Each structure stands twice: as C-alpha cells, then as structure tokens.
Amino acid sequence: MYQFSGKLKMLAIILMALGLIGTVISFGSAPKTLDEAKEILAKQEAAHHGHGGGHATETHSSDTKEVKHEEKAHDVKVVEEATKETATTHANDSLKGEAKDAEHATAHKEEATNEAHHAADSTSHKEEEKANAHQEADTTTHTEAKTEEHHVAEIATAHKEEVSEAHHAAYNDTHATASHHGEDHGDAHAEHVFHQMQNRPWSAVYVSLLFFLGISLLVMAFYAAQRVAQAGWSIVLFRVMEAITVNLHYIGAFMLVFIILTAMHANHLFSWMTPGTFDLQSPNYDPIVDAKKWWMNMPGWVMRSVFYLLVWNAFRFIIRRKSIEQDNGDLKLHKRIYNISVGFIVVFMITESMMSWDWIMGIDPHWFSTLFGWYVLATFLVSALTVICLVTLYLRGKGYLPLVNDSHIHDLAKFMFGFSVFWTYLWFAQFMLIWYADMPEETVYYVLRFKEYIVPFMGMVALNFIFPILLLINSDFKTVPWIIVIAGMFILVGHYVDLFVMIMPGTVGDQWGFGVGEISAFLFFLGVFIFGTFTAFGKANPVPKGNPYLHESETHHYYIIEHKGEDNAHH
C-alpha cells in the first residue's frame, strides 16, 4: 500500500497556503470604487499613451489656432467690405458734386451773356464768389464723406464684435457639448473597465478551477471508456485514474461555491446576468441575448450547473466503491461496473457539451460555435492524458506501480501525441471556417483575441502542437521519461493558456495579465489536486486484483519496445 509521503504532503500544503495568500492579495488589490479605477486607468494611459497625450495637446492647440485664424480672416473680410462701401459712397458723392458745379457754371455763363454790360470788377467778384462756393461745396462733401466713412467703420467694428462674440459663443457651446459628451462616455468607459478590473481575480480563480475540474472529469471519462471497451492494456493504471478522479469531489465543491456566488452577482463574469438584459425598458436590454433567454436564464443556469456536478460526482463515487469491492474477484461487480460506465459515457457526452456552453461559451453570449463542445473536450482530454502519464511516471519511479512497464508509458505517450493532433485539427477547423465565412456574429470572437491576446493565442499553438509533435513523434522518445515530462509540461501550460484565452477576453478585456492572481490560483488548485490525488491513491491497493483482464495488462508488450531492466522473455 502506498503511503502519502510527508514531503509531498508538505509541498501540497505549502502550495495551497501560498495560493490562498496570493489570491487574497489579488482580491484586495482590485479597485473598490469607480474613482480608484479611474486613477488606475489614468496611470495606464499615461504609461502606454504618453506620446499620444502630447499629440492630443498639439491637436487641441492647432484647433484653437485655426479658430482664431478663421475669426481674424472673417474680421479682415468685414473691414474690407466696409472700406469698399465707404469708397463707393465717396466716389458717388464726388460725382454728384462735380455735376452740381457743371450746372452752376452753365447758369453763370448764361447770366454773363445777358448781362455783358456789367463791369469787369463785378465779373471778377462773381468769379471769386464762384471759387469760394465751389471750395465750400468740396469742403462740405469731403466732411460728409469723412463722417459717413467713420459711421461705416463704427458699424463694421460693431458687426465684427457681434460676429466674434457669436463665433466664440458657438465655439464654446460646441466644445461644452463635446466635453459633456466626452465626460459621459469617459464615465461609461471607466465603469466598464472598473468591472473588468474587479473581474480579474475572479477570472484567475475561474480559469484554474475549470482547468483542474476539466482534467478530473476527462480522466473519469477516459477511465470509463477503458471499462466500456474492456481494454486489457490499461488495467494496471486504473488505480491511478481513480485517484485523480477524486478531485471531482474536492474541486467540484469549490465549483459549487463559485456557482452560488456568481448567481448572487458577486462577480460580473457573465454579461448576460447583468440586471435589465432581458427588460425592454432597461438601458441594458440586449435583443440578441433576449432571443436566447430560453437557455440563458439564471434559474436554468444554476440548476444545470448543479446537475452536472451532482451527476459526475455520483457516478465517480459509485464506480470507485464498486472497483475497490471488485478486488475480491466478484465477476458480477465487473459486469455492474461496465453497465454503470456505459451510463456515465452517455451522460458525459451530453453534459460535457452543455457545460462548455454554460460555463465557457456563455461568457461571450453573442457568439456561438457548433464545434465548441468538441474543442473543449479535446483541450481537457489531452491535458487529462498528460496528467495520467506524469502521475504514473512519478509513482512508477517510486516503486509503487511494479506492473507498469515501458509499453504502458508508450501507449500513454501515443495518446498524448494523437490527441494533440486532434486538438490542432479542431482549433484550425473552427478558426478557418469562421475566418472564411467572415460572418460578423462569428468573427467577433476572434477580433479581441487577435487585437489584445495575439501572443497567448498564437503561442498556445506552438505549445500544444509544435513542441509535442517534435518531442513525441519518434517512437523511442515515447518511453523516455524526461522527454515525456518536458512534452507534458508544454502540453499542460499550453492548454492552460488555451482555457485562459477562452475566458479572459470576455471577462477582463484588455486588463489581462499573468500576475499574482493567476499564479496564486493555479498554485492553490495544484496543491488541492496533489493532496487529493495521492491521498486517494493511498486508500486502495495499487493493483486492481479482481479485474479479469489484469494478466493481459501485466504482460502487455508493444512489439517494438525494449523494456529496459526487465526480463522480456515472457512478453
């Protein structure tokens, strides 16, 4: 019987303690008020858009200069028009004066002809009077023209002041309206970012919670599939798989608490849960989500979520108990476990897809993909197979799995390799079809991921496909523990990032990162996972002695594998 080592147990406890402390710090550092969120947002903008801020100032200054230039041009135009009007008036007055002078001269000549007998001094006197009169007329005309020009200039100045005041008033009103609109938009944006910042610690916990819960669930599904297929090679691995599935109980309990808190609006991870989403009179009304309310509604979501957890845990509890009882060699129990496993496979295939819709795809309620359930299945399955292999390598190295040979490890590595290719096929199929169709309601899912998450989004392809393929494509490498461990680390990190990219864009937007919250949540659930797995493994015999296919598993030998340090004569 295996005894949970003190060092490994201490490691699990330390991981849980560190994870819990870091998670508490993460929740404590999240902004509590909208003003705090605005301050953080201002610091982010100052740090990332410093040059943009300077450019904005220059643009505003340029706009001001343009306005002043327009005012000045308008004023010059007004003065020019006033000057033209004055000059025209003065010219007309001068012409009128000359015409009057001509008429006066004609009359004087006629009078001089009729009265020729007048003396020369009288003529000279009249000419002097004529000159004086002409001079007085010119003086009067010039004075009137100056008076009228001054009056026009006053009118032009008054008009200029009125236009300038009106222009300034209109400019101020426009900028005041724009400023008010900007403030409203800024407040709405700040409130949206505030919710994203508050969501980040919740999202960090949710990603790690789903990651380890999904692994536990798919280990259970793989185990049940081995039972249903009546496979002989994997019998010596049954106790390892049963030990891992105990985390459906432990991590499932955390998931149940998370569901209750989410239903109580403790977080804002699911936008469709926002009050008013289904209310026509509410500003939060969403017609697209309202059309899906037959599925997306709080009572239905909670009941389905609780149902998933209860059914999975019930099947796991029953199968584990029957499996331990089977050690006495009762074949009726073997048949009963087979029937129960068939039921679990049927229920699992239905609930797994529904779970992926409720818990992951529901975060982006406007988007949908008919391939999504299979994609999530592939993500968790390859991760589950990797965990089975890593735990098996550890226990085999410690001498607690004497019947496990290189052929068993080779088969597990083949599953890791094969389902990595399967995941890549589904990833590419989903992406390629959506990209090619170019339908807005579908492409919206990838817009933010290419805009803000391009590094993790494309990086996970290398982690989940390129590295596993290069490391595991060689048959000999599939039996080398250190190569399998390295490939397994790439796979687990890559699929954690895969789940991260599924959840974070819809919950935190561009406020994402790998910080204290994300690392702490992962460490906490890793500690729970280690503690639960190895505690359960120590509670049963590592070898399922009552299974009728045990001998087949014990003598399992893949024909091209040379079992190092073993006697291969009987294989």
Side-chain angles (χ1 to χ4, degrees), residues 469-508:
I469 294 300
L470 294 177
L471 291 169
L472 298 177
I473 194 169
N474 188 301
S475 184
D476 292 336
F477 290 174
K478 293 183 179 71
T479 59
V480 181
W482 68 268
I483 293 179
I484 296 173
V485 170
I486 293 174
M489 290 298 102
F490 280 125
I491 290 172
L492 291 178
V493 172
H495 285 287
Y496 171 86
V497 174
D498 184 17
L499 189 60
F500 183 92
V501 174
M502 290 186 208
I503 293 173
M504 287 294 182
T507 58
V508 303

mmCIF file of all heavy atoms in Angstrom, residues 469-508:
data_model
loop_
_atom_site.group_PDB
_atom_site.id
_atom_site.type_symbol
_atom_site.label_atom_id
_atom_site.label_comp_id
_atom_site.label_asym_id
_atom_site.label_seq_id
_atom_site.Cartn_x
_atom_site.Cartn_y
_atom_site.Cartn_z
ATOM 1 N N ILE A 469 4.598 17.511 -30.985
ATOM 2 C CA ILE A 469 4.863 16.729 -32.189
ATOM 3 C C ILE A 469 6.356 16.445 -32.329
ATOM 4 O O ILE A 469 6.785 15.310 -32.586
ATOM 5 C CB ILE A 469 4.338 17.466 -33.435
ATOM 6 C CG1 ILE A 469 2.806 17.549 -33.398
ATOM 7 C CG2 ILE A 469 4.798 16.769 -34.709
ATOM 8 C CD1 ILE A 469 2.114 16.216 -33.368
ATOM 9 N N LEU A 470 7.166 17.474 -32.148
ATOM 10 C CA LEU A 470 8.607 17.296 -32.292
ATOM 11 C C LEU A 470 9.178 16.345 -31.241
ATOM 12 O O LEU A 470 10.108 15.579 -31.523
ATOM 13 C CB LEU A 470 9.309 18.657 -32.206
ATOM 14 C CG LEU A 470 9.028 19.644 -33.347
ATOM 15 C CD1 LEU A 470 9.733 20.966 -33.091
ATOM 16 C CD2 LEU A 470 9.470 19.066 -34.686
ATOM 17 N N LEU A 471 8.627 16.404 -30.022
ATOM 18 C CA LEU A 471 9.170 15.592 -28.938
ATOM 19 C C LEU A 471 8.651 14.160 -28.936
ATOM 20 O O LEU A 471 9.346 13.243 -28.477
ATOM 21 C CB LEU A 471 8.855 16.248 -27.591
ATOM 22 C CG LEU A 471 9.599 17.561 -27.294
ATOM 23 C CD1 LEU A 471 9.005 18.242 -26.062
ATOM 24 C CD2 LEU A 471 11.091 17.300 -27.088
ATOM 25 N N LEU A 472 7.436 13.950 -29.437
ATOM 26 C CA LEU A 472 6.809 12.636 -29.294
ATOM 27 C C LEU A 472 6.602 11.892 -30.605
ATOM 28 O O LEU A 472 6.063 10.783 -30.598
ATOM 29 C CB LEU A 472 5.458 12.775 -28.584
ATOM 30 C CG LEU A 472 5.507 13.332 -27.160
ATOM 31 C CD1 LEU A 472 4.088 13.489 -26.599
ATOM 32 C CD2 LEU A 472 6.332 12.423 -26.255
ATOM 33 N N ILE A 473 7.021 12.470 -31.715
ATOM 34 C CA ILE A 473 6.775 11.786 -32.987
ATOM 35 C C ILE A 473 7.666 10.553 -33.132
ATOM 36 O O ILE A 473 7.296 9.571 -33.789
ATOM 37 C CB ILE A 473 6.992 12.757 -34.178
ATOM 38 C CG1 ILE A 473 6.404 12.153 -35.448
ATOM 39 C CG2 ILE A 473 8.473 13.095 -34.345
ATOM 40 C CD1 ILE A 473 6.320 13.131 -36.606
ATOM 41 N N ASN A 474 8.812 10.578 -32.502
ATOM 42 C CA ASN A 474 9.703 9.426 -32.535
ATOM 43 C C ASN A 474 9.203 8.369 -31.552
ATOM 44 O O ASN A 474 8.940 8.659 -30.387
ATOM 45 C CB ASN A 474 11.131 9.854 -32.182
ATOM 46 C CG ASN A 474 12.146 8.738 -32.393
ATOM 47 O OD1 ASN A 474 12.035 7.672 -31.790
ATOM 48 N ND2 ASN A 474 13.138 8.992 -33.228
ATOM 49 N N SER A 475 9.077 7.148 -32.001
ATOM 50 C CA SER A 475 8.544 6.083 -31.149
ATOM 51 C C SER A 475 9.424 5.824 -29.930
ATOM 52 O O SER A 475 8.916 5.566 -28.837
ATOM 53 C CB SER A 475 8.388 4.797 -31.969
ATOM 54 O OG SER A 475 7.796 3.782 -31.192
ATOM 55 N N ASP A 476 10.732 5.896 -30.114
ATOM 56 C CA ASP A 476 11.634 5.645 -28.989
ATOM 57 C C ASP A 476 11.497 6.698 -27.893
ATOM 58 O O ASP A 476 11.660 6.411 -26.710
ATOM 59 C CB ASP A 476 13.088 5.594 -29.473
ATOM 60 C CG ASP A 476 13.360 4.378 -30.358
ATOM 61 O OD1 ASP A 476 12.602 3.400 -30.220
ATOM 62 O OD2 ASP A 476 14.299 4.426 -31.167
ATOM 63 N N PHE A 477 11.202 7.940 -28.302
ATOM 64 C CA PHE A 477 11.086 9.025 -27.327
ATOM 65 C C PHE A 477 9.890 8.831 -26.400
ATOM 66 O O PHE A 477 9.849 9.397 -25.306
ATOM 67 C CB PHE A 477 10.950 10.374 -28.041
ATOM 68 C CG PHE A 477 12.213 10.828 -28.729
ATOM 69 C CD1 PHE A 477 12.214 11.968 -29.529
ATOM 70 C CD2 PHE A 477 13.397 10.131 -28.577
ATOM 71 C CE1 PHE A 477 13.371 12.390 -30.158
ATOM 72 C CE2 PHE A 477 14.564 10.555 -29.202
ATOM 73 C CZ PHE A 477 14.545 11.682 -30.003
ATOM 74 N N LYS A 478 8.931 8.041 -26.825
ATOM 75 C CA LYS A 478 7.714 7.865 -26.037
ATOM 76 C C LYS A 478 7.929 7.006 -24.787
ATOM 77 O O LYS A 478 7.004 6.836 -23.988
ATOM 78 C CB LYS A 478 6.611 7.233 -26.901
ATOM 79 C CG LYS A 478 6.106 8.120 -28.035
ATOM 80 C CD LYS A 478 4.979 7.444 -28.781
ATOM 81 C CE LYS A 478 4.422 8.297 -29.894
ATOM 82 N NZ LYS A 478 5.344 8.436 -31.034
ATOM 83 N N THR A 479 9.121 6.472 -24.639
ATOM 84 C CA THR A 479 9.418 5.693 -23.435
ATOM 85 C C THR A 479 10.503 6.338 -22.576
ATOM 86 O O THR A 479 10.893 5.758 -21.558
ATOM 87 C CB THR A 479 9.883 4.268 -23.821
ATOM 88 O OG1 THR A 479 11.061 4.355 -24.642
ATOM 89 C CG2 THR A 479 8.791 3.533 -24.563
ATOM 90 N N VAL A 480 10.959 7.501 -22.992
ATOM 91 C CA VAL A 480 11.999 8.213 -22.237
ATOM 92 C C VAL A 480 11.317 9.171 -21.271
ATOM 93 O O VAL A 480 10.697 10.154 -21.707
ATOM 94 C CB VAL A 480 12.945 8.969 -23.179
ATOM 95 C CG1 VAL A 480 14.032 9.685 -22.373
ATOM 96 C CG2 VAL A 480 13.556 8.023 -24.204
ATOM 97 N N PRO A 481 11.406 8.916 -19.974
ATOM 98 C CA PRO A 481 10.654 9.726 -19.004
ATOM 99 C C PRO A 481 10.901 11.231 -19.097
ATOM 100 O O PRO A 481 9.937 12.010 -19.066
ATOM 101 C CB PRO A 481 11.106 9.163 -17.655
ATOM 102 C CG PRO A 481 11.495 7.749 -17.950
ATOM 103 C CD PRO A 481 12.095 7.793 -19.324
ATOM 104 N N TRP A 482 12.162 11.651 -19.202
ATOM 105 C CA TRP A 482 12.422 13.097 -19.174
ATOM 106 C C TRP A 482 11.881 13.802 -20.412
ATOM 107 O O TRP A 482 11.440 14.957 -20.342
ATOM 108 C CB TRP A 482 13.915 13.373 -18.987
ATOM 109 C CG TRP A 482 14.811 12.992 -20.136
ATOM 110 C CD1 TRP A 482 15.452 11.812 -20.316
ATOM 111 C CD2 TRP A 482 15.168 13.818 -21.247
ATOM 112 N NE1 TRP A 482 16.194 11.819 -21.474
ATOM 113 C CE2 TRP A 482 16.049 13.052 -22.071
ATOM 114 C CE3 TRP A 482 14.846 15.105 -21.651
ATOM 115 C CZ2 TRP A 482 16.592 13.541 -23.256
ATOM 116 C CZ3 TRP A 482 15.395 15.601 -22.818
ATOM 117 C CH2 TRP A 482 16.254 14.827 -23.612
ATOM 118 N N ILE A 483 11.872 13.100 -21.554
ATOM 119 C CA ILE A 483 11.278 13.690 -22.760
ATOM 120 C C ILE A 483 9.762 13.800 -22.602
ATOM 121 O O ILE A 483 9.149 14.812 -22.976
ATOM 122 C CB ILE A 483 11.643 12.845 -24.006
ATOM 123 C CG1 ILE A 483 13.143 12.936 -24.278
ATOM 124 C CG2 ILE A 483 10.845 13.320 -25.216
ATOM 125 C CD1 ILE A 483 13.590 12.112 -25.476
ATOM 126 N N ILE A 484 9.160 12.766 -22.040
ATOM 127 C CA ILE A 484 7.710 12.797 -21.814
ATOM 128 C C ILE A 484 7.334 13.903 -20.831
ATOM 129 O O ILE A 484 6.328 14.605 -21.020
ATOM 130 C CB ILE A 484 7.217 11.432 -21.299
ATOM 131 C CG1 ILE A 484 7.450 10.358 -22.360
ATOM 132 C CG2 ILE A 484 5.737 11.489 -20.934
ATOM 133 C CD1 ILE A 484 7.141 8.949 -21.890
ATOM 134 N N VAL A 485 8.151 14.071 -19.791
ATOM 135 C CA VAL A 485 7.875 15.122 -18.806
ATOM 136 C C VAL A 485 7.952 16.506 -19.453
ATOM 137 O O VAL A 485 7.087 17.370 -19.226
ATOM 138 C CB VAL A 485 8.851 15.029 -17.614
ATOM 139 C CG1 VAL A 485 8.723 16.265 -16.724
ATOM 140 C CG2 VAL A 485 8.586 13.771 -16.802
ATOM 141 N N ILE A 486 8.979 16.737 -20.270
ATOM 142 C CA ILE A 486 9.099 18.035 -20.948
ATOM 143 C C ILE A 486 7.908 18.262 -21.884
ATOM 144 O O ILE A 486 7.299 19.347 -21.895
ATOM 145 C CB ILE A 486 10.429 18.099 -21.732
ATOM 146 C CG1 ILE A 486 11.608 18.109 -20.770
ATOM 147 C CG2 ILE A 486 10.459 19.349 -22.614
ATOM 148 C CD1 ILE A 486 12.959 18.034 -21.457
ATOM 149 N N ALA A 487 7.571 17.246 -22.674
ATOM 150 C CA ALA A 487 6.411 17.369 -23.570
ATOM 151 C C ALA A 487 5.132 17.606 -22.768
ATOM 152 O O ALA A 487 4.276 18.417 -23.155
ATOM 153 C CB ALA A 487 6.275 16.106 -24.423
ATOM 154 N N GLY A 488 5.018 16.917 -21.626
ATOM 155 C CA GLY A 488 3.838 17.099 -20.775
ATOM 156 C C GLY A 488 3.730 18.498 -20.210
ATOM 157 O O GLY A 488 2.626 19.062 -20.121
ATOM 158 N N MET A 489 4.885 19.090 -19.853
ATOM 159 C CA MET A 489 4.860 20.460 -19.338
ATOM 160 C C MET A 489 4.396 21.440 -20.418
ATOM 161 O O MET A 489 3.604 22.356 -20.157
ATOM 162 C CB MET A 489 6.250 20.850 -18.838
ATOM 163 C CG MET A 489 6.700 20.139 -17.568
ATOM 164 S SD MET A 489 5.628 20.499 -16.141
ATOM 165 C CE MET A 489 4.645 18.988 -16.067
ATOM 166 N N PHE A 490 4.901 21.249 -21.638
ATOM 167 C CA PHE A 490 4.444 22.097 -22.746
ATOM 168 C C PHE A 490 2.932 21.958 -22.944
ATOM 169 O O PHE A 490 2.219 22.961 -23.130
ATOM 170 C CB PHE A 490 5.169 21.724 -24.037
ATOM 171 C CG PHE A 490 6.550 22.293 -24.158
ATOM 172 C CD1 PHE A 490 7.636 21.464 -24.380
ATOM 173 C CD2 PHE A 490 6.778 23.657 -24.056
ATOM 174 C CE1 PHE A 490 8.917 21.977 -24.496
ATOM 175 C CE2 PHE A 490 8.054 24.186 -24.163
ATOM 176 C CZ PHE A 490 9.128 23.347 -24.385
ATOM 177 N N ILE A 491 2.449 20.729 -22.911
ATOM 178 C CA ILE A 491 1.021 20.482 -23.149
ATOM 179 C C ILE A 491 0.160 21.115 -22.058
ATOM 180 O O ILE A 491 -0.836 21.797 -22.346
ATOM 181 C CB ILE A 491 0.753 18.968 -23.244
ATOM 182 C CG1 ILE A 491 1.342 18.410 -24.535
ATOM 183 C CG2 ILE A 491 -0.744 18.668 -23.174
ATOM 184 C CD1 ILE A 491 1.291 16.897 -24.631
ATOM 185 N N LEU A 492 0.534 20.918 -20.796
ATOM 186 C CA LEU A 492 -0.279 21.458 -19.696
ATOM 187 C C LEU A 492 -0.273 22.978 -19.689
ATOM 188 O O LEU A 492 -1.321 23.618 -19.507
ATOM 189 C CB LEU A 492 0.217 20.902 -18.358
ATOM 190 C CG LEU A 492 -0.021 19.401 -18.128
ATOM 191 C CD1 LEU A 492 0.562 18.975 -16.791
ATOM 192 C CD2 LEU A 492 -1.503 19.074 -18.182
ATOM 193 N N VAL A 493 0.901 23.574 -19.870
ATOM 194 C CA VAL A 493 0.969 25.044 -19.919
ATOM 195 C C VAL A 493 0.177 25.548 -21.125
ATOM 196 O O VAL A 493 -0.579 26.533 -21.022
ATOM 197 C CB VAL A 493 2.434 25.521 -19.993
ATOM 198 C CG1 VAL A 493 2.497 27.025 -20.248
ATOM 199 C CG2 VAL A 493 3.164 25.184 -18.696
ATOM 200 N N GLY A 494 0.345 24.878 -22.271
ATOM 201 C CA GLY A 494 -0.356 25.313 -23.474
ATOM 202 C C GLY A 494 -1.866 25.253 -23.344
ATOM 203 O O GLY A 494 -2.578 26.164 -23.786
ATOM 204 N N HIS A 495 -2.382 24.215 -22.698
ATOM 205 C CA HIS A 495 -3.836 24.106 -22.584
ATOM 206 C C HIS A 495 -4.395 24.957 -21.446
ATOM 207 O O HIS A 495 -5.576 25.335 -21.485
ATOM 208 C CB HIS A 495 -4.240 22.639 -22.444
ATOM 209 C CG HIS A 495 -4.136 21.904 -23.735
ATOM 210 N ND1 HIS A 495 -5.019 22.081 -24.774
ATOM 211 C CD2 HIS A 495 -3.208 21.010 -24.189
ATOM 212 C CE1 HIS A 495 -4.674 21.327 -25.794
ATOM 213 N NE2 HIS A 495 -3.565 20.667 -25.464
ATOM 214 N N TYR A 496 -3.551 25.281 -20.470
ATOM 215 C CA TYR A 496 -3.973 26.299 -19.504
ATOM 216 C C TYR A 496 -4.125 27.639 -20.225
ATOM 217 O O TYR A 496 -5.115 28.365 -20.019
ATOM 218 C CB TYR A 496 -2.947 26.415 -18.374
ATOM 219 C CG TYR A 496 -3.215 27.591 -17.454
ATOM 220 C CD1 TYR A 496 -4.082 27.468 -16.380
ATOM 221 C CD2 TYR A 496 -2.616 28.830 -17.684
ATOM 222 C CE1 TYR A 496 -4.344 28.550 -15.549
ATOM 223 C CE2 TYR A 496 -2.875 29.918 -16.862
ATOM 224 C CZ TYR A 496 -3.740 29.770 -15.791
ATOM 225 O OH TYR A 496 -3.998 30.847 -14.986
ATOM 226 N N VAL A 497 -3.163 27.975 -21.083
ATOM 227 C CA VAL A 497 -3.248 29.214 -21.859
ATOM 228 C C VAL A 497 -4.456 29.171 -22.790
ATOM 229 O O VAL A 497 -5.142 30.185 -22.987
ATOM 230 C CB VAL A 497 -1.949 29.441 -22.652
ATOM 231 C CG1 VAL A 497 -2.078 30.657 -23.577
ATOM 232 C CG2 VAL A 497 -0.771 29.639 -21.702
ATOM 233 N N ASP A 498 -4.734 28.012 -23.350
ATOM 234 C CA ASP A 498 -5.909 27.852 -24.211
ATOM 235 C C ASP A 498 -7.183 28.205 -23.454
ATOM 236 O O ASP A 498 -8.023 28.986 -23.933
ATOM 237 C CB ASP A 498 -5.960 26.413 -24.711
ATOM 238 C CG ASP A 498 -7.091 26.170 -25.699
ATOM 239 O OD1 ASP A 498 -7.629 27.141 -26.241
ATOM 240 O OD2 ASP A 498 -7.425 24.995 -25.932
ATOM 241 N N LEU A 499 -7.342 27.650 -22.268
ATOM 242 C CA LEU A 499 -8.520 27.962 -21.450
ATOM 243 C C LEU A 499 -8.500 29.425 -21.013
ATOM 244 O O LEU A 499 -9.551 30.080 -20.955
ATOM 245 C CB LEU A 499 -8.558 27.045 -20.224
ATOM 246 C CG LEU A 499 -9.827 27.087 -19.368
ATOM 247 C CD1 LEU A 499 -11.048 26.682 -20.181
ATOM 248 C CD2 LEU A 499 -9.679 26.187 -18.149
ATOM 249 N N PHE A 500 -7.332 29.947 -20.732
ATOM 250 C CA PHE A 500 -7.167 31.355 -20.366
ATOM 251 C C PHE A 500 -7.697 32.262 -21.473
ATOM 252 O O PHE A 500 -8.429 33.224 -21.228
ATOM 253 C CB PHE A 500 -5.678 31.615 -20.109
ATOM 254 C CG PHE A 500 -5.350 33.005 -19.654
ATOM 255 C CD1 PHE A 500 -5.285 33.311 -18.305
ATOM 256 C CD2 PHE A 500 -5.076 34.014 -20.572
ATOM 257 C CE1 PHE A 500 -4.965 34.597 -17.888
ATOM 258 C CE2 PHE A 500 -4.759 35.295 -20.161
ATOM 259 C CZ PHE A 500 -4.702 35.590 -18.809
ATOM 260 N N VAL A 501 -7.343 31.934 -22.716
ATOM 261 C CA VAL A 501 -7.782 32.749 -23.851
ATOM 262 C C VAL A 501 -9.268 32.562 -24.129
ATOM 263 O O VAL A 501 -9.920 33.443 -24.692
ATOM 264 C CB VAL A 501 -6.933 32.404 -25.099
ATOM 265 C CG1 VAL A 501 -7.453 33.111 -26.338
ATOM 266 C CG2 VAL A 501 -5.480 32.785 -24.866
ATOM 267 N N MET A 502 -9.842 31.441 -23.729
ATOM 268 C CA MET A 502 -11.293 31.264 -23.866
ATOM 269 C C MET A 502 -12.065 32.171 -22.930
ATOM 270 O O MET A 502 -13.145 32.672 -23.270
ATOM 271 C CB MET A 502 -11.670 29.810 -23.558
ATOM 272 C CG MET A 502 -11.249 28.770 -24.565
ATOM 273 S SD MET A 502 -11.955 27.160 -24.094
ATOM 274 C CE MET A 502 -10.753 26.037 -24.779
ATOM 275 N N ILE A 503 -11.530 32.405 -21.731
ATOM 276 C CA ILE A 503 -12.291 33.063 -20.671
ATOM 277 C C ILE A 503 -11.954 34.540 -20.523
ATOM 278 O O ILE A 503 -12.851 35.385 -20.397
ATOM 279 C CB ILE A 503 -12.065 32.323 -19.338
ATOM 280 C CG1 ILE A 503 -12.696 30.927 -19.404
ATOM 281 C CG2 ILE A 503 -12.638 33.102 -18.159
ATOM 282 C CD1 ILE A 503 -12.391 30.049 -18.216
ATOM 283 N N MET A 504 -10.694 34.878 -20.526
ATOM 284 C CA MET A 504 -10.274 36.236 -20.170
ATOM 285 C C MET A 504 -10.793 37.351 -21.083
ATOM 286 O O MET A 504 -11.202 38.405 -20.590
ATOM 287 C CB MET A 504 -8.748 36.300 -20.085
ATOM 288 C CG MET A 504 -8.175 35.626 -18.864
ATOM 289 S SD MET A 504 -8.676 36.513 -17.362
ATOM 290 C CE MET A 504 -7.830 35.571 -16.100
ATOM 291 N N PRO A 505 -10.786 37.190 -22.419
ATOM 292 C CA PRO A 505 -11.255 38.304 -23.255
ATOM 293 C C PRO A 505 -12.671 38.759 -22.940
ATOM 294 O O PRO A 505 -12.971 39.954 -22.982
ATOM 295 C CB PRO A 505 -11.154 37.729 -24.678
ATOM 296 C CG PRO A 505 -10.080 36.717 -24.584
ATOM 297 C CD PRO A 505 -10.242 36.087 -23.232
ATOM 298 N N GLY A 506 -13.556 37.828 -22.618
ATOM 299 C CA GLY A 506 -14.940 38.181 -22.327
ATOM 300 C C GLY A 506 -15.178 38.669 -20.914
ATOM 301 O O GLY A 506 -16.247 39.207 -20.622
ATOM 302 N N THR A 507 -14.189 38.508 -20.037
ATOM 303 C CA THR A 507 -14.379 38.908 -18.638
ATOM 304 C C THR A 507 -13.536 40.111 -18.226
ATOM 305 O O THR A 507 -13.989 40.954 -17.468
ATOM 306 C CB THR A 507 -14.049 37.739 -17.693
ATOM 307 O OG1 THR A 507 -12.701 37.306 -17.923
ATOM 308 C CG2 THR A 507 -14.992 36.573 -17.928
ATOM 309 N N VAL A 508 -12.308 40.205 -18.730
ATOM 310 C CA VAL A 508 -11.429 41.317 -18.333
ATOM 311 C C VAL A 508 -10.981 42.166 -19.510
ATOM 312 O O VAL A 508 -10.339 43.199 -19.308
ATOM 313 C CB VAL A 508 -10.193 40.799 -17.562
ATOM 314 C CG1 VAL A 508 -10.608 40.001 -16.353
ATOM 315 C CG2 VAL A 508 -9.285 39.973 -18.459
#
